[in-house]
Amino acid sequence: AYEIPKRDWSSDVCSSDLLCAQDAWRLTDRATLSYGVRWEPFLGQQMLFGGADNFDHDNFVKGVKSQVFVNAPAGMRYPGDSGFPDGRSGYKRRWLDFSPRVGLAWDVRGNGRLALRSSYGLTYDFPSGDYMNINASAPPWGNRSLVTTTIFDDPYSVVGGNPHPIATSRNTVFPAFGSFGAMDPGIHEPRVQSWNVTAEQIGRAHV
């Protein structure tokens, strides 16, 4: 058995536009509330040289094929196909990502010796660029096939012919038995929720 090599590179660009607001409110002489919010829409990494695709199961069942790469398996969608999210990321844009945060500090006795503090925050992150590697190295940008039975006079005959050099067009030939990766366009970006409660007691000083 041997493997037909693949292209394994891509270039993705990610932009981040955000707005932040924060304030603190002294509730009493002994309690302070701090709060804020961060608006950071998720726009997804833009794949400059290809590598973004989606898979639609209903289209697969119905035999609907891509109009960008007409030889792609049924169900695959690429930038420019009907139903593919705007841009070249494969993700739906999320404009309503808000990250709230709030904190409370309370001087229990008013003498500065016993304090209770609590806070909560919700934050978002971006998927790692490595997440795109499977897609970027799959057909039509990279063709990798495991060949277990062939003839040495024409080893590529079992995968539809020699796939090199790799150049994409509307009529790019997709190899038989190719492996594919696809992104869920509605996937949520990573997020973390954190909270804490602490008590601080200052003991008596001894001389």
Side-chain angles (χ1 to χ4, degrees), residues 25-167:
W25 181 21
R26 187 159 184 150
L27 301 175
T28 69
D29 290 342
R30 295 189 293 170
T32 300
L33 178 70
S34 61
Y35 48 90
V37 66
R38 172 182 173 129
W39 175 64
E40 187 175 7
F42 175 67
L43 306 179
Q45 297 98 322
Q46 302 298 311
M47 305 297 290
L48 301 183
F49 303 119
D53 57 29
N54 297 152
F55 176 75
D56 186 293
H57 184 264
D58 290 339
N59 281 359
F60 172 75
V61 172
K62 296 174 184 177
V64 177
K65 289 198 169 189
S66 166
Q67 294 304 302
V68 175
F69 297 110
V70 295
N71 295 314
M76 299 299 294
R77 286 177 176 167
Y78 301 91
D81 276 325
S82 175
F84 192 87
D86 293 337
R88 303 182 64 84
S89 73
Y91 297 114
K92 292 180 180 178
R93 295 173 179 173
R94 298 188 176 276
W95 295 100
L96 299 180
D97 281 357
F98 291 93
S99 302
R101 58 204 67 190
V102 62
L104 177 65
W106 178 33
D107 181 358
V108 179
R109 299 191 179 96
N111 59 8
R113 289 186 172 276
L114 176 61
L116 291 179
R117 293 183 173 87
S118 180
S119 66
Y120 167 82
L122 168 66
T123 56
Y124 292 92
D125 198 357
F126 289 91
S128 168
D130 293 340
Y131 184 69
M132 303 290 194
N133 282 351
I134 295 176
N135 308 335
S137 61
W141 304 286
N143 298 329
R144 181 177 184 175
S145 298
L146 178 62
V147 179
T148 57
T149 302
T150 189
I151 56 175
F152 287 100
D153 290 340
D154 189 4
Y156 294 116
S157 61
V158 297
V159 290
N162 189 342
H164 305 289
I166 297 172

Side-chain angles (χ1 to χ4, degrees), residues 156-203:
Y156 294 116
S157 61
V158 297
V159 290
N162 189 342
H164 305 289
I166 297 172
T168 60
S169 71
R170 186 171 187 266
N171 296 307
T172 296
V173 176
F174 280 62
F177 317 114
S179 59
F180 296 87
M183 294 167 289
D184 178 355
I187 195 172
H188 287 268
E189 65 276 32
R191 63 179 181 175
V192 176
Q193 298 187 68
S194 59
W195 58 90
N196 66 75
V197 177
T198 61
E200 298 178 3
Q201 172 70 59
I202 299 177

